[in-house]
Amino acid sequence: MATEVSPDPPSLRTGRRERALAQMEAHDLDILVLGRQANIRYVTGAPQLWIAGTRPFGPMCVVVRATGEIYLNSTDDEGVPDEIGRDHLYGLAWNPMTLIEVLKHIDGAATARRVGTDAITPTFAALLPEAFPNADLVDGEPAMRTARRVKTAEEIAAMGPALRVAEKGLAAAVAELRPGVSEQTLAGAALEAMAAGGVSTPATQDVAWVTSREHPWQRGRGEVGPGDLVALAAGALADGYVAEVGRTWQAGDSVNGSTRELFARSDALFDKMLAACRPGASTTGLLAAYEEAGEPLPPMPVAHGLGLGFDPPVVSQTLSAAGDLDRLEAGMVLAISGYVWQEGIGAVVRRDTVHITDDGAEVLTSDPS
């Protein structure tokens, strides 16, 4: 069965584009040259080819502030919105000078004063001044980060498919959890369920791990044993948007008093983290929640932004110590991670996708159990 590639809905792409243009105005950018996949989809609404790993910067999309015109690197118009005409599409080229010639003929290129890029390589740092002879090349990524950090109502709705698929993947892994099963089998069950739900590109592949009873922050053995606490997490990338959910289950044995107490500690920590998710609050409140709950901070981030990929902020002890502080705003969507550990028992890990509203935190994920 053939599946047609369609652009994002008009209201979704229009709202995002307005935010991007507003940030171009705020950062005094006449032209924005984009190479990062998520940024390109954000302003164009055209689905991008997902590839594993990173790729070097190239001028794949150009936004002109004065006119709102968008130029897109594409070999055809499949999935390209109608407002981006065929005359605004340009093809792939191995020779970077071919791309520079295209940029030279974009309306406003010759007179632009400030041109931002979301990344750069030495080659294009040397060549872009030929396309924009009167412009200063500046960092355009802060403008895109600011635009993307707060989600529109349409974006929140667009995250729904990723949320539901991630939950189904996690539920499939839970259904396979039993003593003797391997971490790889659990991961395979989750990924298979997500693929059946239409998502063949998981946001994360570290799906299942047996928590260590001897050392915090570490894995146990790769095969699940009776009574082991097993952390399961699923991240789905659907329609460009990412959602994450994670829970911990005990394998085999019924939960005893000590283990039940550990789960209660996890709930208490998570309640404090959710209370810290309010507009205007510093992201350090998410770190302080661990101290208030009497739990040591994990070495990994305790929260990170979600959207078209991963958005700011990233909240960790290391960044906080370096002075990289941030403020939470209504409209942000975060993946919040709680981690508690007890020697001889293991760890309870919990992760939820959380929408920060004017009234506080709204948990978008549900418990798949």
Side-chain angles (χ1 to χ4, degrees):
M1 180 178 67
T3 302
E4 182 179 354
V5 177
S6 302
D8 294 332
S11 59
L12 177 60
R13 62 180 189 258
T14 299
R16 296 187 313 216
R17 198 173 297 156
E18 289 175 351
R19 287 183 181 271
L21 288 170
Q23 288 306 315
M24 289 181 69
E25 178 78 27
H27 288 78
D28 193 23
L29 301 176
D30 298 314
I31 289 178
L32 191 55
V33 182
L34 303 174
R36 291 180 173 170
Q37 185 176 349
N39 286 339
I40 295 171
R41 183 160 188 173
Y42 188 87
V43 299
T44 66
Q48 299 292 295
L49 176 65
W50 184 89
I51 58 173
T54 59
R55 55 185 173 187
F57 170 80
M60 300 294 102
C61 177
V62 179
V63 185
V64 181
R65 187 184 79 191
T67 61
E69 296 290 318
I70 295 174
Y71 299 79
L72 178 63
N73 180 270
S74 180
T75 55
D76 58 51
D77 60 0
E78 184 181 29
V80 178
D82 293 337
E83 63 267 22
I84 303 177
R86 290 189 178 183
D87 60 331
H88 282 37
L89 303 181
Y90 55 98
L92 295 169
W94 288 108
N95 186 344
M97 290 306 302
T98 302
L99 296 175
I100 294 300
E101 285 300 317
V102 171
L103 301 186
K104 284 182 180 180
H105 293 91
I106 288 176
D107 290 341
T111 57
R113 298 174 299 102
R114 280 171 57 87
V115 173
T117 66
D118 61 353
I120 200 69
T121 59
T123 296
F124 282 104
L127 294 180
L128 283 178
E130 296 187 27
F132 310 106
N134 295 303
D136 293 327
L137 291 181
V138 299
D139 186 4
E141 180 62 14
M144 289 305 303
R145 285 183 182 175
T146 304
R148 289 173 51 185
R149 64 188 275 122
V150 174
K151 308 298 180 288
T152 66
E154 290 79 9
E155 285 189 278
I156 300 300
M159 297 183 75
L163 289 162
R164 304 291 83 83
V165 169
E167 291 166 355
K168 289 179 180 177
L170 198 60
V174 173
E176 295 294 326
L177 180 61
R178 63 188 184 279
V181 72
S182 68
E183 294 176 344
Q184 290 84 354
T185 298
L186 296 174
L191 297 177
E192 180 181 27
M194 289 195 290
V199 174
S200 59
T201 52
T204 60
Q205 295 186 5
D206 199 12
V207 176
W209 63 97
V210 178
T211 66
S212 171
R213 303 188 190 201
E214 291 78 29
H215 304 284
W217 332 126
Q218 293 185 12
R219 292 176 177 268
R221 56 188 178 276
E223 183 177 288
V224 177
D228 279 343
L229 292 181
V230 181
L232 300 170
L237 173 63
D239 298 327
Y241 283 91
V242 171
E244 297 184 14
V245 60
R247 292 291 188 276
T248 301
W249 281 267
Q250 187 175 36
D253 298 347
S254 59
V255 178
N256 59 30
S258 298
T259 305
R260 189 174 293 110
E261 182 179 334
L262 187 62
F263 275 96
R265 284 168 50 190
S266 174
D267 291 339
L269 169 62
F270 216 78
D271 287 344
K272 293 183 183 298
M273 296 185 76
L274 289 177
C277 293
R278 61 186 188 278
S282 171
T283 55
T284 56
L286 290 162
L287 301 173
Y290 273 81
E291 181 178 358
E292 293 172 9
E295 305 291 348
L297 277 168
M300 67 286 287
V302 302
H304 59 268
L306 295 176
L308 283 172
F310 298 108
D311 287 338
V314 176
V315 185
S316 71
Q317 186 177 18
T318 302
L319 292 176
S320 176
D324 190 357
L325 306 179
D326 208 339
R327 291 280 171 186
L328 299 176
E329 300 179 53
M332 281 184 169
V333 177
L334 305 177
I336 305 295
S337 299
Y339 185 104
V340 298
W341 179 82
Q342 181 63 49
E343 185 175 4
I345 300 175
V348 174
V349 183
R350 177 177 175 180
R351 181 174 299 151
D352 275 299
T353 297
V354 175
H355 174 211
I356 299 177
T357 70
D358 290 327
D359 298 323
E362 175 191 7
V363 180
L364 299 180
T365 37
S366 60
D367 192 335
S369 63

